[in-house]
Amino acid sequence: MGHKSQSGEYRNQDNASDIITHGLNTYEKEYWTPENPSNYYARLMANGPTGATGVNRVIRRDFLRLSDLTFGYTIPQKWTRKAFMERVRVTFGIKNLFTINPPKWSYGDPENWGLGNRVFNFGLNVQF
């Protein structure tokens, strides 16, 4: 909590290679148009005063994340010994279960600005 950084993402430089103009895919993001005036997002390919390209804004990057959740269960020996196994343990885990982002955050993972991939793990430990 309390983390802030500078960003120029609000300037909507996504159109540098005409991805929006020519209808190519990008992540969903609002931008200023005459029909959708916005004080938060700029128009496509916006620059700062007199063409300045490095004008950044301070943005909140607070987040709350449940990053690792694992469940495990050891099957009782009275069942496993019938199958000639001493111990059987089953585990299931999820990494990056959820992230709560600040309001108006639309730049991917607030920790690294990229994708926040979710990973599922399944484990089986058998001892004979």
Side-chain angles (χ1 to χ4, degrees):
M1 296 299 178
H3 180 65
K4 296 180 181 177
S5 66
Q6 292 186 9
S7 171
E9 293 289 329
Y10 74 96
R11 292 188 326 244
N12 285 316
Q13 297 290 319
D14 302 329
N15 206 34
S17 60
D18 295 329
I19 59 177
I20 294 175
T21 302
H22 291 111
L24 302 175
N25 291 332
T26 184
Y27 55 92
E28 183 178 346
K29 187 197 287 187
E30 292 184 35
Y31 55 91
W32 186 94
T33 64
E35 296 79 28
N36 182 34
S38 168
N39 290 333
Y40 190 78
Y41 293 107
R43 63 176 164 54
L44 290 176
M45 295 301 292
N47 288 321
T50 61
T53 58
V55 180
N56 290 333
R57 162 187 293 172
V58 176
I59 58 171
R60 288 179 47 203
R61 288 181 60 188
D62 303 336
F63 66 95
L64 177 66
R65 171 178 289 147
L66 180 56
S67 65
D68 196 353
L69 182 64
T70 303
F71 299 100
Y73 179 72
T74 302
I75 298 173
Q77 284 187 334
K78 65 180 180 180
W79 296 341
T80 60
R81 287 191 175 156
K82 292 178 182 178
F84 305 105
M85 294 182 279
E86 187 64 29
R87 182 174 179 231
V88 177
R89 181 161 177 80
V90 179
T91 58
F92 177 74
I94 304 172
K95 293 190 182 293
N96 198 15
L97 184 60
F98 70 85
T99 304
I100 299 172
N101 298 328
K104 293 198 176 217
W105 182 265
S106 60
Y107 308 120
D109 188 336
E111 187 172 17
N112 63 19
W113 296 75
L115 297 176
N117 296 330
R118 185 168 296 130
V119 178
F120 298 91
N121 295 311
F122 176 75
L124 181 63
N125 185 340
V126 179
Q127 295 177 356
F128 292 96

